Amino acid sequence: MTAPTKPPYGTAADSVSERAPGEPLHSPVIDWFDEHARDLPWRRPEAGAWGVMVSEFMLQQTPVNRVLPVYEQWMARWPRPAGLAAEAPGEAVRAWGRLGYPRRALRLHGAAVAITERHGGDVPSDHAQLLALPGIGEYTAAAVASFAYGQRHAVLDTNVRRVFARAVSGTQYPPNATTAAERRLARALLPEDAATAARWAAASMELGALVCTAKNEACHRCPIAAQCAWRLAGKPAYDGPPRRGQTYAGTDRQVRGRLLAVLREAHGPVPQAALDRVWHEPVQRARALDGLVSDGLVEPMPGGLYRLPLS
């Protein structure tokens, strides 16, 4: 999209290369966020740290519009970690519905158990303790500490990485996997004040989700268009390694999803014959079912029966 003759914020003289890396970006991005941030349930005070954690698990590789109804049902059923921890893991898989990547449900259940046993049912605020929970990686620990507790951490999801790649590094897309250089840049861009840093983390993420998108970026609505290194360079085309696609039709992921759908909708164990009906190709079907069993998402039982996990 062609940039406007006069960008809505700042001037080209404010290029990030002429000042401290983050300084010219913080205020316009945070001001934009204050005006345009979506009203999402996990951003409301009543969500608490548990609501933030649940949303972070669900939002991994899944768009907001698909997450919203499942999140609302989940939080209504399990408003505290202890409630989820008291249920069988299979109930987490059942409630996960069709969000995809259902191992996230098992990991969230495992985190709830650990929170209940180690932290009295309260999501810890300490970053190291968050990182020690089952299923919590670098990104999720930083996101919960930042969004739930207002701490100063670099929160690097795909949207943030794309904003930083364009605005600061001058490239259309970030690398396929997060690099040490990206982490250093993210830390360098953090505001010194913890509360401002937490706001910056949320704001830069929202900017990538709504404006600086992977395709059809809306530079005319961007609060840092005038400082964007990629835009100022004429938007050079990406020339890095091929970007990963997300094919689904015909893959083992699709077969796994269909098998799990049968088990989620059943009120008891399911016979092999019921699972065989969901996919015509027996070798791929067997491979997908074996994978679900290996991942702990399905429990085989005597007599050729299968169920969602109870332990």
Side-chain angles (χ1 to χ4, degrees):
M1 184 176 292
T2 304
T5 303
K6 183 178 180 180
Y9 297 85
T11 67
D14 290 324
S15 170
V16 294
S17 63
E18 299 176 10
R19 301 168 64 183
E23 187 180 346
L25 306 178
H26 298 153
S27 292
V29 171
I30 292 172
D31 289 347
W32 171 86
F33 183 66
D34 288 343
E35 184 175 353
H36 297 285
R38 290 168 291 181
D39 179 20
L40 300 174
W42 45 86
R43 288 178 176 164
R44 299 168 191 162
E46 61 268 24
W50 173 239
V52 171
M53 178 176 285
V54 170
S55 75
E56 290 300 334
F57 271 79
M58 290 184 173
L59 288 165
Q60 294 167 21
Q61 304 182 69
T62 309
V64 166
N65 64 333
R66 288 185 59 202
V67 166
L68 279 169
V70 180
Y71 174 88
E72 298 279 16
Q73 293 166 11
W74 188 285
M75 293 302 294
R77 181 174 179 180
W78 298 308
R80 297 275 297 160
L84 176 59
E87 298 263 18
E91 286 306 300
V93 177
R94 194 188 309 277
W96 199 256
R98 296 184 178 274
L99 282 183
Y101 303 100
R103 277 178 289 183
R104 293 178 293 169
L106 288 183
R107 291 169 183 156
L108 184 51
H109 182 274
V113 171
I115 291 167
T116 302
E117 293 177 348
R118 303 177 197 170
H119 304 287
D122 294 321
V123 176
S125 60
D126 180 76
H127 181 267
Q129 291 180 336
L130 286 166
L131 201 54
L133 294 173
I136 302 287
E138 173 189 354
Y139 165 78
T140 305
V144 173
S146 178
F147 301 152
Y149 293 113
Q151 297 176 14
R152 184 179 183 270
H153 294 283
V155 182
L156 275 175
D157 82 334
T158 301
N159 289 316
V160 175
R161 294 175 61 225
R162 185 170 56 251
V163 169
F164 291 174
R166 292 174 179 174
V168 182
S169 302
T171 57
Q172 185 177 16
Y173 299 115
N176 282 332
T178 306
T179 65
E182 287 181 283
R183 294 185 181 95
R184 288 194 297 270
L185 174 61
R187 289 193 294 268
L189 292 173
L190 273 177
E192 289 299 322
D193 174 69
T196 307
R199 197 70 175 163
W200 159 253
S204 53
M205 187 177 295
E206 190 80 333
L207 185 66
L210 299 184
V211 175
C212 193
T213 55
K215 298 179 180 179
N216 302 317
E217 64 279 352
C219 296
H220 65 290
R221 295 194 289 114
C222 180
I224 53 172
Q227 298 102 301
C228 178
W230 182 57
R231 175 184 167 274
L232 293 174
K235 295 187 177 181
Y238 176 75
D239 62 356
R243 300 176 67 226
R244 294 191 297 262
Q246 292 197 357
T247 56
Y248 182 74
T251 64
D252 284 6
R253 276 186 58 219
Q254 184 181 24
V255 185
R256 285 164 61 102
R258 291 192 177 183
L259 293 170
L260 274 181
V262 174
L263 293 163
R264 281 198 312 268
E265 293 162 8
H267 297 292
V270 172
Q272 177 78 55
L275 298 176
D276 288 347
R277 287 194 290 269
V278 306
W279 198 256
H280 64 283
E281 210 291 303
V283 174
Q284 187 180 26
R285 186 179 65 237
R287 183 173 64 242
L289 182 58
D290 286 347
L292 290 171
V293 172
S294 297
D295 290 340
L297 290 161
V298 172
E299 284 186 0
M301 300 176 64
L305 299 175
Y306 295 86
R307 69 184 181 192
L308 295 177
L310 293 182
S311 60

